[in-house]
Amino acid sequence: MDVLPNRRARTARGVLFVHASPRAVCPHVEWSAGRALGEAVNFDWSEQPALPGSHRAEYYWEGCPGTGAILASALRGWEQLRFEVTEDAGPGSDGGRWLHTPELGIFYAQTDSVGNVVVPEDRIRSAMERAGANAIELHRELRLALGQTWDDELEPFRQASDLNAVVWLHQVG
């Protein structure tokens, strides 16, 4: 049974980054991702130097709009995973970004055509209302809306290998 409706309408694409998976879970991650994508997948696993004993993989996928959400939902059941799913914006559909860590759970953000996180107006208004005149609290609320805590936790795992340097974009300049 296909999870995706009308598999012929493949107009969305994105990337699954498995930042850290226990070795024993890797085949299960492939099976879960393949079931979500409606086709068998095989990942090119490599060791994750940021967490000895774990492995990492990247997989470029294509599917119907909404496939990123289906993929993230399929993987969030594996609590020990650290992963990131992106879905590019396309004609008539927003992009998305799902981040998951064992400690924080899952975070979702809408993204624009170049991958920037889009914070909806109501979320900004809510943050301003909760923070009142407290600038530090407003800063905290906006960091939460942007998923900064998830980014901070995943950043060390985004390194591809010991041979590749990590690019710390927030430290440029």
Side-chain angles (χ1 to χ4, degrees):
M1 176 180 156
D2 286 337
V3 175
L4 299 175
N6 189 4
R7 289 185 53 213
R8 294 180 191 181
R10 293 180 178 259
T11 59
R13 65 186 59 190
V15 183
L16 164 62
F17 300 95
V18 179
H19 294 299
S21 172
R23 182 179 182 87
V25 176
C26 292
H28 301 285
V29 171
E30 288 181 359
W31 181 85
S32 294
R35 178 130 171 92
L37 294 169
E39 60 191 26
V41 298
N42 292 300
F43 297 166
D44 184 18
W45 294 99
S46 60
E47 290 187 23
Q48 172 53 271
L51 185 62
S54 67
H55 289 73
R56 64 177 311 281
E58 294 179 13
Y59 186 78
Y60 296 85
W61 59 265
E62 289 185 9
C64 302
T67 298
I70 294 168
L71 191 52
S73 294
L75 296 177
R76 73 181 280 248
W78 297 99
E79 294 178 7
Q80 61 273 56
L81 288 183
R82 287 173 173 83
F83 69 85
E84 189 169 349
V85 176
T86 64
E87 180 171 326
D88 297 340
S93 65
D94 296 326
R97 185 170 173 231
W98 295 261
L99 307 172
H100 181 272
T101 73
E103 294 78 18
L104 299 172
I106 200 155
F107 171 82
Y108 166 76
Q110 176 187 340
T111 58
D112 65 14
S113 62
V114 293
N116 293 309
V117 169
V118 175
V119 180
E121 176 184 348
D122 289 344
R123 182 91 186 250
I124 294 171
R125 289 184 188 282
S126 176
M128 289 171 27
E129 185 176 315
R130 282 195 299 274
N134 185 336
I136 293 172
E137 182 61 17
L138 179 60
H139 186 262
R140 191 193 71 74
E141 289 284 342
L142 292 175
R143 285 176 53 88
L144 179 62
L146 291 168
Q148 189 63 52
T149 305
W150 284 262
D151 275 332
D152 291 346
E153 189 168 322
L154 288 174
E155 191 60 34
F157 295 94
R158 289 179 174 137
Q159 177 181 338
S161 73
D162 285 329
L163 302 175
N164 294 332
V166 174
V167 178
W168 300 93
L169 294 178
H170 63 279
Q171 294 181 355
V172 173

